[in-house]
């Protein structure tokens, strides 16, 4: 007896039937059928006549045999077919592929060069010839064939570019000459200019790369090739490529052929990289020279301020002040006024800059710290102490650590003549006069009695010597401090710094480990103990001490 279907189940069945009917293919009006076929590489510059059905069947059979690994049988079949259909591109390509499979590369080269020359066809047998030439260890010849294809058919640029890259790995200079000749022969082809520039850069010749790109840009209204080249270098993410990108943008900034808008855009991109890498002192004078013919009012306030700061750090205070002057009747900003005061501080004497820095000191913790530094440089330690405290008020502030270090120095050095020398050392360091700073630190280290001020002098001297590349000289004050004043607050740091000098500068891992172990044994609860422990564990993993 059949069970009755419940109403809910019946509803479900009706909905399922309707969905199934809807899913069936629906009749539609007749229309063109669009079939998307992958684009295959061209085998010839000219269309070849079709083979008759019998010959086509033999060609298909030969290709089937080759796919099954029966290359000798395929070779015999194709040679017979070529005798009946001489110079046919399809047959030639199939024959060359079989001969490459049989590793008869000299025969592939002979046949390919003969047929390509006879038919004046740069596409014919190109890919097969490149394979044979690469197997014969002739990268320059393979690149030449790829460039011929590239010139004939720009759509083959991906394949040709890969061949050129592989060839350049083996013979960069030879391949560069091949690409250069193509760029000269086809001056309207910017793709050859870009390829040549990449090879120039690969060989470390950025000047040649920029000349190539600049020459290709002469017919354009904007410096597209160099700008793009710099962006491509930035995507590599290495220090060398970042430097190349910066140099390229500097080259653009100095190119007076172009509208100022393009030049300033290149300047901003270059400066972004310079700031990120902390190389303002090196590049600011060069960028200012590149833009010297443009009015300062055409530059953004941010770029002007950044350039002025870099010029001041490089000691070019006159050029810095020229950029900091109010432009177009606009009111001066506190940042520009503070930077002018820092230019005065750079030129000295420090007291000259105090009024300007005091006017900006209330604006931010950074400006408060700058004013405190100027006071310290000028010998006004008590006033400097007050402003260092204000700069260190925010525990998470960017200048809190530096301000606290100065406070420690002021409190530990007392009020004697040594404090004035410490201020002078700090001033010379800030100005970049490292030799003077080193000489002053050495004098304090030699004359002060062993105590907290002497420990400060020892750390300063070690830092100056290490920065100058004198690793052994840096160790002397560090080890003297660690051994003679083990209870000083700087002793744990001296041990750590000594270990760092051994490990990084002198490559002496065993002595570095000994310093780290001594630091942890003596100062297990010191503030730098976790970092020292991390370094020691890393050293043990790497060297298995």
């Amino acid at each position: 007896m059949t069970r009755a279907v419940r109403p809910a189940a019946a509803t479900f069945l009706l909905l399922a039937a309707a969905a199934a009917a809807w899913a069936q293919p629906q009749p539609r009006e007749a229309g063109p059928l669009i079939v998307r076929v992958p684009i295959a590489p061209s085998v010839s510059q000219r269309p070849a006549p079709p083979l008759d059905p019998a010959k086509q069947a033999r060609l298909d059979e030969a290709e089937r045999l080759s796919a099954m690994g029966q290359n000798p049988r395929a070779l015999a079949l194709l040679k017979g077919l070529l005798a009946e259909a001489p110079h046919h591109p399809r047959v030639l390509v199939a024959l060359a592929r079989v001969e490459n499979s049989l590793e008869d590369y000299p025969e592939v080269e002979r046949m390919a060069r003969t047929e390509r020359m006879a038919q004046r066809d740069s596409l014919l047998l190109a890919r097969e010839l490149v394979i044979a030439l690469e197997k014969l260890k002739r990268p320059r010849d393979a690149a030449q064939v790829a460039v011929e294809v590239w010139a004939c058919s720009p759509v083959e640029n991906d394949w040709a570019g890969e061949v050129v890259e592989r060839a350049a790995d083996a013979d960069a200079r030879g391949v560069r000459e091949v690409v250069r000749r193509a760029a000269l022969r086809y001056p309207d082809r910017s793709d050859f200019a870009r390829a040549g520039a990449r090879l120039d850069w690969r060989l470390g010749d950025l000047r040649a790369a920029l000349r190539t790109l600049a020459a290709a840009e002469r017919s354009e209204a904007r410096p597209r090739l160099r700008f793009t080249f710099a962006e491509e270098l930035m995507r590599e993410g290495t220090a060398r490529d970042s430097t190349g990108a910066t140099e390229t943008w500097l080259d653009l900034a100095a190119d007076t052929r172009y509208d100022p808008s393009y030049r300033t855009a290149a300047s901003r991109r270059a400066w972004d990289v310079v700031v990120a890498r902390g190389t303002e002192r090196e590049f600011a004078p060069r960028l200012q020279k590149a833009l010297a013919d443009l009015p300062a009012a055409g530059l953004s306030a941010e770029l002007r301020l950044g350039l002025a700061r870099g010029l001041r750090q490089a000691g070019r205070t006159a050029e810095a002040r020229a950029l900091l002057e109010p432009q177009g009747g606009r009111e001066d900003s506190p940042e520009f006024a503070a930077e002018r005061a820092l230019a005065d501080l750079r030129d000295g004497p420090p007291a000259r800059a105090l009024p300007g820095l005091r006017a900006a000191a209330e604006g931010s913790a950074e400006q408060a710290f700058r004013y405190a530094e100027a006071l310290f440089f000028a010998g006004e330690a008590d006033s400097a102490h007050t402003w260092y405290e204000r700069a260190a008020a925010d525990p998470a502030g960017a200048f809190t650590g530096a301000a606290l270090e100065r406070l420690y120095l002021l409190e530990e050095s007392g009020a004697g003549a040594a404090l004035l020398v410490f201020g002078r050392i700090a001033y010379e360091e800030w100005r970049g006069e490292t030799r003077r700073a080193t000489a002053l630190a050495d004098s304090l280290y030699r004359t002060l009695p062993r105590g907290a001020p002497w420990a400060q002098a020892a750390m300063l001297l070690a830092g100056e010597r290490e920065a100058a590349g004198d690793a052994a000289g840096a160790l002397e004050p560090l080890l003297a401090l660690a051994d003679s004043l083990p209870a000083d607050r700087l002793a744990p740091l001296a041990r750590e710094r000594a270990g760092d000098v051994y490990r990084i500068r002198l490559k002496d891992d065993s002595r570095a480990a000994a310093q780290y172990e001594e630091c942890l044994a003596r100062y297990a609860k010191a503030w730098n103990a976790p970092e020292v422990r991390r370094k020691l564990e890393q050293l043990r993993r790497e060297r298995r001490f």
Side-chain angles (χ1 to χ4, degrees):
M1 182 175 178
T2 304
R3 185 178 299 175
V5 179
R6 296 179 181 178
T11 302
F12 174 82
L13 291 173
L14 287 173
L15 290 173
W22 179 260
Q24 294 297 320
Q26 302 296 315
R28 61 181 180 182
E29 296 180 1
L33 180 62
I34 299 176
V35 179
R36 299 190 182 277
V37 180
I39 299 176
S42 302
V43 297
S44 174
Q45 289 180 237
R46 291 170 288 278
L51 295 168
D52 62 50
K55 292 186 177 65
Q56 183 62 50
R58 291 164 63 190
L59 177 61
D60 293 342
E61 175 64 14
E63 291 176 340
R64 186 185 67 81
L65 290 171
S66 178
M68 295 172 61
Q70 300 182 32
N71 287 305
R73 292 179 58 190
L75 182 64
L77 190 58
L78 288 169
K79 285 185 174 180
L81 183 57
L82 185 62
E84 299 176 22
H87 312 299
H88 196 284
R90 291 283 308 280
V91 179
L92 288 169
V93 168
L95 180 58
R97 289 174 179 173
V98 169
E99 287 176 333
N100 272 335
S101 297
L102 293 170
E103 300 183 1
D104 192 357
Y105 306 123
E107 176 57 24
V108 173
E109 182 187 7
R110 183 201 63 78
M111 179 179 68
R113 294 198 182 280
T114 301
E115 293 289 345
R116 285 162 60 84
M117 184 176 296
Q119 300 191 43
R120 299 180 180 275
D121 192 335
S122 296
L123 296 183
L124 182 63
L125 294 170
R127 292 178 179 247
E128 292 70 33
L129 177 56
V130 163
I131 292 173
L133 292 172
E134 289 181 335
K135 294 295 185 180
L136 292 171
K137 309 297 183 185
R138 288 160 57 186
R140 181 171 179 170
D141 291 340
Q144 180 65 53
V145 174
V147 167
E148 291 171 3
V149 172
W150 196 349
C152 175
S153 177
V155 298
E156 298 280 1
N157 64 325
D158 288 342
W159 170 78
E162 291 174 1
V163 175
V164 168
E165 285 291 325
R166 290 199 302 271
D169 289 338
D171 183 8
R173 296 187 182 277
V175 173
R176 178 174 65 171
E177 290 306 313
V178 170
V179 177
R180 275 183 175 176
R181 287 198 300 270
L184 292 173
R185 186 175 180 183
Y186 305 101
D188 58 330
R189 291 283 298 274
S190 61
D191 49 356
F192 284 133
R194 288 196 300 269
R198 284 195 295 270
L199 288 170
D200 286 331
W201 172 244
R202 187 171 184 170
L203 289 167
D205 194 350
L206 180 61
R207 291 294 101 192
L210 296 180
R211 284 196 301 270
T212 299
L213 295 173
E217 289 171 348
R218 284 175 184 157
S219 61
E220 300 185 353
R222 57 193 179 95
R224 174 176 56 90
L225 296 181
R226 277 177 290 173
F227 211 100
T228 304
F229 179 68
E231 295 288 358
E232 290 173 353
L233 290 179
M234 284 300 299
R235 284 195 287 271
E236 296 297 324
T238 68
R240 177 178 180 270
D241 291 306
S242 297
T243 301
T246 304
E247 294 286 353
T248 302
W249 278 314
L250 281 173
D251 191 63
L252 278 176
D255 196 334
T256 57
R257 296 179 302 165
Y258 291 105
D259 185 90
S261 62
Y262 294 119
R263 297 172 61 193
T264 54
S267 301
R268 287 194 297 271
R269 290 293 289 119
W271 193 248
D272 288 342
V273 180
V274 167
V275 171
R277 300 184 64 191
T279 53
E280 295 95 328
R281 181 181 305 202
E282 175 187 354
F283 282 96
R286 297 179 56 195
L287 187 53
Q288 187 268 341
K289 182 180 179 181
L291 301 173
D293 63 304
L294 298 180
L299 306 180
S300 68
E302 181 182 4
L303 181 58
R304 285 170 51 214
L305 187 62
L307 276 177
R309 185 175 295 119
L311 288 168
R312 182 252 302 164
Q313 292 171 357
R316 310 279 285 270
T317 50
E319 292 95 327
R321 288 190 183 91
L323 287 171
L324 294 169
E325 291 300 321
Q327 301 294 324
R330 290 175 291 186
E331 292 186 4
D332 202 9
S333 68
E335 293 82 2
F336 277 65
E339 187 56 43
R340 279 199 299 272
L342 288 173
D344 292 338
L345 181 62
R346 175 66 175 76
D347 287 342
R352 173 189 173 193
L354 293 179
L357 292 172
R358 176 62 183 89
E362 304 284 354
S364 65
E366 177 182 359
Q367 298 301 341
F369 178 76
R370 298 298 180 205
Y371 181 50
E373 289 280 85
L375 290 167
F376 182 41
F377 300 160
E380 300 184 20
D382 292 340
S383 299
H385 193 287
T386 300
W387 282 95
Y388 281 132
E389 288 180 331
R390 295 182 66 170
D394 180 8
F399 294 87
T400 300
L404 289 173
E405 281 298 321
R406 290 290 195 231
L407 288 171
Y408 284 131
L409 176 61
L410 293 177
E411 292 167 2
E412 292 175 346
S413 299
L419 186 56
L420 297 177
V421 180
F422 276 119
R424 188 68 186 183
I425 292 172
Y427 181 49
E428 298 299 348
E429 285 181 337
W430 182 79
R431 298 175 71 223
E433 301 292 344
T434 54
R435 289 187 179 181
R436 294 179 187 174
T438 303
L440 290 168
D442 185 75
S443 69
L444 283 180
Y445 176 73
R446 303 294 176 193
T447 58
L448 286 175
R450 300 290 172 100
W454 176 84
Q456 291 278 1
M459 295 299 292
L460 285 174
L461 180 60
E464 296 292 345
R465 288 178 175 177
E466 185 179 359
D470 184 7
L475 280 174
E476 177 197 347
L478 290 173
L479 295 177
L481 167 57
D483 292 335
S484 62
L485 292 178
D488 190 88
R489 73 173 183 88
L490 293 176
L493 181 60
R495 286 285 180 198
E496 179 186 0
R497 289 271 300 279
D500 292 344
V501 171
Y502 277 125
R503 179 172 60 92
I504 299 171
R505 303 293 184 184
L506 300 177
K507 310 300 181 184
D508 191 338
D509 291 344
S510 60
R511 291 188 177 182
Q515 291 298 320
Y516 293 149
E517 289 169 349
E518 182 71 13
C519 182
L520 292 174
R522 287 176 175 262
Y523 314 106
K525 296 183 179 181
W527 63 271
N528 63 331
E531 178 63 13
V532 174
R533 188 172 293 107
R534 184 194 66 79
K535 291 177 181 178
L536 180 59
E537 290 173 353
Q538 180 181 358
L539 204 55
R540 285 171 172 168
R541 287 195 301 270
E542 293 173 354
R543 302 294 182 180
R544 297 182 181 179
F545 285 109

